[in-house]
Amino acid sequence: MTAWYGEDLAYIHDVGFRDYALKSAPGILDILKHREIQSGLIVELGCGSGLSTEILHQSGYQVLGIDISAAMVAIAQTRVPTAEFRVDSLFTAEIPPCCAVISIGECLSYAFDANSDAVLEALFQRIYQTLLPGGVFIFDVVVPGHAAPGEVARHFTEGQDWIVLVEKQEDPIQQLLTRRIIALRQVGDLYRRTDEVHFLRLFNMENLAKTLRQNGFQVDITDRYGAFSLPPARMVAIAYKPI
């Protein structure tokens, strides 16, 4: 399996980009409570370093975290040793019967492995089949608007012992966002460099909601998890399985 989010980028993402997961979690808990899902198994697709897993676990839920990055899963397992984690593709991993499936942080957009329309619809079908009646599928994806047409957007972020430089470019024909990431992490007196290129599918939310409904879900589309408004060009789908 290809190593996405290797050791250094996983570390940087955990210490420097944790707000997305931490600010999303309260809103997700509110959705679960509104649906009267007070306990049970939650499957977290793209669990990352386990930040949201820890909050769900502390709130009384069992959690199965699945992520394609072994480095991320290693951090998550250390953070929440009593939860179950697997290194696997979220598009093909076995999903056991559960009360909820969540995917925070645009994980369903990532094209690390096959996520064509057919593969994505097959995932929706499997999630619908494994969700208990009244269960919910909550996730967010990227939509167009990360870079102006024909332009490359560049920015950098730095922490105490790391620097990340990112280039973003959108392909409106392929509906694809390309992120070129250069990560520098301090090791001793020197900085170690790693490079990754991530491809993300840009979704049309109207079409996505239509596909979910065709597979049996009732769907709400929003740009927030509770009080937390997502950064620009990201949207949330909340898909319910009828009782």
Side-chain angles (χ1 to χ4, degrees):
M1 184 176 294
T2 305
W4 304 106
Y5 278 95
E7 178 184 352
D8 289 343
L9 191 56
Y11 165 80
I12 292 169
H13 194 276
D14 179 59
V15 300
F17 296 89
R18 55 176 50 205
D19 277 2
Y20 197 110
L22 296 179
K23 291 181 178 179
S24 298
I28 289 173
L29 288 173
D30 286 345
I31 295 169
L32 296 173
K33 291 176 181 177
H34 180 72
R35 298 292 296 180
E36 298 185 350
I37 301 172
Q38 305 287 350
S39 61
L41 175 64
I42 296 177
V43 177
E44 189 175 7
L45 300 177
C47 63
S49 60
L51 292 162
S52 50
T53 309
E54 183 176 35
I55 295 172
L56 293 167
H57 195 267
Q58 290 173 344
S59 299
Y61 298 97
Q62 297 172 274
V63 185
L64 167 61
I66 298 171
D67 201 285
I68 200 169
S69 167
M72 284 287 204
V73 168
I75 298 172
Q77 191 70 77
T78 300
R79 173 168 282 122
V80 196
T82 53
E84 181 184 354
F85 295 96
R86 299 178 190 168
V87 179
D88 206 343
S89 162
L90 63 85
F91 293 103
T92 57
E94 180 181 352
I95 301 173
C98 56
C99 61
V101 176
I102 69 172
S103 187
I104 304 172
E106 65 205 32
C107 301
L108 287 179
S109 283
Y110 277 99
F112 288 158
D113 45 4
N115 66 347
S116 65
D117 288 345
V119 171
L120 194 65
E121 186 165 1
L123 173 63
F124 293 164
Q125 291 171 355
R126 290 192 296 113
I127 290 174
Y128 187 87
Q129 291 165 2
T130 57
L131 276 176
L132 300 176
V136 61
F137 175 30
I138 307 167
F139 64 97
D140 56 84
V141 294
V142 292
V143 297
H146 293 261
E151 294 186 4
V152 178
R154 296 180 175 89
H155 69 272
F156 76 92
T157 310
E158 60 181 328
Q160 183 176 355
D161 57 357
W162 56 269
I163 302 171
V164 170
L165 302 94
V166 179
E167 288 186 349
K168 296 187 292 185
Q169 187 170 20
E170 288 190 8
D171 183 333
I173 297 176
Q174 297 293 325
Q175 287 295 287
L176 199 67
L177 170 66
T178 300
R179 286 187 187 138
R180 177 174 175 246
I181 303 170
I182 300 173
L184 302 170
R185 180 183 179 187
Q186 187 173 8
V187 181
D189 294 331
L190 303 176
Y191 277 81
R192 181 169 61 202
R193 170 174 169 163
T194 57
D195 295 64
E196 295 193 21
V197 178
H198 297 173
F199 301 99
L200 294 92
R201 179 176 181 172
L202 297 167
F203 280 91
N204 176 298
M205 295 308 292
E206 183 177 343
N207 292 341
L208 180 60
K210 180 179 179 180
T211 300
L212 287 164
R213 293 188 179 106
Q214 288 173 340
N215 284 280
F217 287 103
Q218 298 170 356
V219 185
D220 291 332
I221 302 297
T222 181
D223 63 353
R224 62 182 55 241
Y225 288 119
F228 173 52
S229 296
L230 269 61
R234 294 165 178 85
M235 297 293 289
V236 174
I238 307 170
Y240 308 99
K241 181 173 181 177
I243 297 175

